[in-house]
């Protein structure tokens, strides 16, 4: 009986302590004029629920607090807006103190030179360098032929096999991007690069707690390994003085006086950004496209009909061209509908640089992050 009383007493004490901690954390952020919402635990906030529930977390909070509420996500006090009109204002007013802002874990792991971490003239220079990689000329002469070649090889041994679409689309998204970045070396570095990159991706969506065994620690260590791989690749190319017609070769060029010259650190961070930005979106959307086409056989048959018509006009080994893409009207509709139904982007992030009032609520600078989700 005495042991039972001790256990009950300990349970009550722990419960009271937890309640007190939660209450204290709520009081810390109870500022006049702030939107409603809960802050969860100190440091952790509501990150666990946010990562587990995904879009449902936003929907549940909106049902409780409306379309404008506060939370604590990925180590940062956050205001969430799910109001379309307010989101439009936020996204169009970077000059008024609403600049791109990302979780600390993402900034640490993607690098201080990635396009998401810089602003002003530096952001403009980085953006110009990245946009030049997908110019109409680059798409026509470099991207399309390489994608066509890669996809033919990647799909060539799928006949009469059971395929894990989730795993293979992730592999496809990563390897196709790597081939665009470093075409000559993509095969030799892929097996070493790929597991480190997957750890990096997990680390960016985690609490920035640098302890052994955490996703953040593993992600940051993966970044160090990737820096070593890419640094050696850049050094090898620079020593060989051979011309390479791929993204890395373009970023390393120094013969254009009108273009901002990137340092090695900037080049590496842009490469990581390119791989990161397309990996999850391309792989998930591709996987869901297969799922939707399986569920709608009439759509699949119409898609096949369009592609067979294009293939009949070409030789067996002739690659896809820009004119072929323009004629894929039904394919384009399938892509748009899949993107609408299977989007994995929950929102965009903005950081406030000054006190401001929005939607009748006072937003103070301690709330550094906004998630705009409509």
């Amino acid at each position: 009986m005495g042991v039972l009383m001790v256990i009950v007493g300990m349970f009550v004490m722990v419960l009271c302590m937890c309640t007190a901690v939660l209450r204290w954390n709520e009081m810390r952020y109870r500022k006049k004029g702030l939107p409603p919402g809960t802050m969860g635990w100190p440091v952790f906030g509501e990150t666990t629920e946010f990562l587990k529930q995904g879009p449902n977390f936003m929907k549940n909070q909106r049902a409780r607090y409306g379309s404008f509420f506060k939370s604590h996500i990925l180590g940062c006090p956050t205001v969430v807006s799910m109001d379309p009109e307010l989101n439009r204002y936020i996204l169009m007013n970077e000059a008024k103190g609403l600049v791109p802002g990302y979780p600390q874990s993402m900034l640490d792991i993607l690098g201080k030179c990635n396009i998401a971490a810089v602003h002003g003239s530096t952001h403009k220079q980085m953006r110009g360098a990245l946009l030049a990689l997908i110019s109409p000329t680059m798409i026509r002469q470099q991207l399309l032929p390489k994608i066509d070649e890669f996809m033919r090889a990647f799909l060539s041994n799928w006949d009469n096999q059971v395929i894990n679409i989730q795993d293979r689309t992730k592999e496809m998204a990563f390897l196709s991007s790597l081939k665009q970045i470093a075409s000559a070396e993509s095969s030799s570095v892929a097996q070493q690069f790929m597991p480190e990159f997957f750890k990096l991706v997990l680390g960016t969506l985690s609490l920035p707690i640098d302890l052994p065994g955490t996703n953040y620690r593993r992600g940051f260590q993966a970044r160090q390994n990737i820096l070593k791989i890419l640094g050696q690749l850049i050094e090898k190319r620079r020593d060989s003085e051979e011309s390479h017609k791929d993204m890395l070769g373009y970023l390393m060029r120094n013969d254009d006086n009108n273009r901002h010259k990137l340092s090695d650190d900037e080049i590496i961070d842009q490469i990581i950004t390119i791989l990161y930005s397309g990996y999850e979106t391309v792989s998930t959307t591709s996987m869901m496209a297969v799922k939707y086409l399986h569920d709608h056989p009439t759509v699949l048959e119409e898609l096949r009909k369009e592609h067979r018509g294009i293939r009949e006009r070409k030789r067996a080994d002739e690659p896809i061209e820009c004119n072929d893409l323009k004629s894929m009207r039904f394919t384009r509709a399938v892509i748009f509908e899949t993107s609408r139904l299977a989007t994995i982007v929950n929102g965009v992030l903005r950081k406030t640089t000054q006190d401001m009032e929005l939607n009748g609520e006072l937003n103070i600078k301690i709330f550094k992050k906004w998630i705009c989700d409509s």
Side-chain angles (χ1 to χ4, degrees):
M1 186 67 179
V3 174
L4 179 61
M5 290 297 293
V6 170
I7 294 174
V8 171
M10 291 179 63
F11 176 77
V12 172
M13 186 180 298
V14 170
L15 184 63
C16 291
M17 289 177 62
C18 290
T19 303
V21 169
L22 285 169
R23 181 68 176 170
W24 171 78
N25 199 45
E26 293 294 335
M27 294 296 293
R28 286 176 64 201
Y29 297 103
R30 183 168 291 180
K31 307 290 184 180
K32 184 178 180 180
L34 286 176
T38 54
M39 304 303 292
W41 297 96
V43 181
F44 299 95
E46 298 181 302
T47 301
T48 302
E49 295 86 344
F50 174 71
L51 294 178
K52 281 185 177 181
Q53 299 177 24
N56 287 332
F57 173 82
M58 300 295 188
K59 294 177 182 177
N60 293 338
Q61 295 299 88
R62 179 170 60 180
R64 292 179 63 186
Y65 303 112
S67 61
F68 191 64
F69 56 88
K70 67 177 182 285
S71 184
H72 195 293
I73 300 170
L74 297 175
C76 186
T78 305
V79 171
V80 180
S81 169
M82 303 182 73
D83 181 274
E85 291 300 321
L86 182 57
N87 289 349
R88 188 174 296 109
Y89 174 84
I90 294 170
L91 295 174
M92 294 177 64
N93 283 277
E94 181 174 330
K96 296 182 179 180
L98 291 160
V99 300
Y102 294 86
Q104 191 61 44
S105 56
M106 187 178 293
L107 295 177
D108 291 342
I109 293 173
L110 295 185
K112 63 181 181 180
C113 297
N114 84 83
I115 193 170
V118 296
H119 309 296
S121 60
T122 305
H123 182 273
K124 185 177 180 180
Q125 292 166 351
M126 296 295 180
R127 185 170 178 270
L130 292 178
L131 287 178
L133 300 176
I134 52 172
S135 65
T137 301
M138 287 286 287
I139 292 173
R140 184 171 58 253
Q141 297 180 358
Q142 300 294 329
L143 302 188
L144 263 182
K146 288 177 183 176
I147 290 174
D148 186 273
E149 178 188 6
F150 169 81
M151 291 306 300
R152 287 170 183 262
F154 189 74
L155 298 171
S156 62
N157 60 351
W158 282 27
D159 291 344
N160 302 316
Q161 291 191 37
V162 176
I163 301 296
N164 186 318
I165 293 296
Q166 184 176 24
D167 291 343
R168 297 311 296 271
T169 52
K170 286 184 177 181
E171 185 181 352
M172 177 269 294
F174 172 78
L175 292 178
S176 62
S177 296
L178 188 61
K179 187 172 182 63
Q180 297 288 349
I181 290 167
S183 55
E185 301 89 354
S186 60
S187 299
S188 61
V189 303
Q191 294 306 312
Q192 182 185 8
F193 199 119
M194 189 156 48
E196 300 299 330
F197 178 74
F198 291 166
K199 294 176 190 174
L200 179 147
V201 171
L202 285 175
T204 59
L205 294 175
S206 64
L207 283 168
I209 299 176
D210 191 9
L211 293 175
T214 61
N215 283 336
Y216 176 82
R217 168 70 70 87
R218 286 192 287 262
F220 196 79
Q221 290 175 339
R223 171 179 168 79
Q224 303 310 309
N225 295 332
I226 289 173
L227 291 178
K228 184 177 179 180
I229 295 170
L230 293 177
Q232 291 173 347
L233 179 57
I234 291 173
E235 185 177 349
K236 181 180 177 181
R237 284 199 174 188
R238 195 164 278 136
D239 291 341
S240 71
E241 296 183 355
E242 182 182 349
S243 177
H244 292 269
K245 294 183 178 180
D246 52 28
M247 290 184 176
L248 178 57
Y250 183 85
L251 291 173
M252 291 178 62
R253 279 174 51 190
N254 56 12
D255 56 354
D256 186 354
N257 293 327
N258 296 320
R259 188 170 64 88
H260 172 66
K261 306 299 187 298
L262 300 176
S263 66
D264 286 359
D265 288 341
E266 289 173 333
I267 290 172
I268 290 173
D269 281 355
Q270 300 324 303
I271 290 172
I272 294 174
T273 299
I274 293 169
L275 287 167
Y276 182 87
S277 60
Y279 164 72
E280 197 74 46
T281 51
V282 171
S283 62
T284 302
T285 305
S286 300
M287 177 186 67
M288 294 307 297
V290 174
K291 194 265 184 191
Y292 294 147
L293 290 171
H294 172 270
D295 294 344
H296 298 84
T298 55
V299 176
L300 176 60
E301 186 55 36
E302 185 66 25
L303 193 66
R304 284 174 171 163
K305 181 180 177 182
E306 183 173 79
H307 283 255
R308 288 194 189 109
I310 295 172
R311 178 49 55 196
E312 289 171 357
R313 302 194 298 267
K314 305 170 76 69
R315 299 189 307 273
D317 59 345
E318 192 175 355
I320 292 292
E321 299 175 347
C322 283
N323 289 334
D324 299 323
L325 292 181
K326 292 176 182 177
S327 67
M328 294 180 184
R329 296 183 177 179
F330 190 78
T331 302
R332 191 177 300 111
V334 170
I335 293 171
F336 287 161
E337 184 64 4
T338 301
S339 299
R340 185 183 71 83
L341 294 173
T343 180
I344 65 165
V345 180
N346 290 337
V348 296
L349 303 172
R350 289 294 183 267
K351 180 175 65 176
T352 60
T353 59
Q354 61 192 37
D355 294 351
M356 59 182 60
E357 184 175 309
L358 293 170
N359 202 37
E361 305 280 1
L362 176 64
N363 172 42
I364 59 176
K365 284 189 289 185
I366 193 172
F367 281 76
K368 296 179 181 177
K369 188 171 60 176
W370 285 75
I371 295 181
C372 304
D373 186 341
S374 58

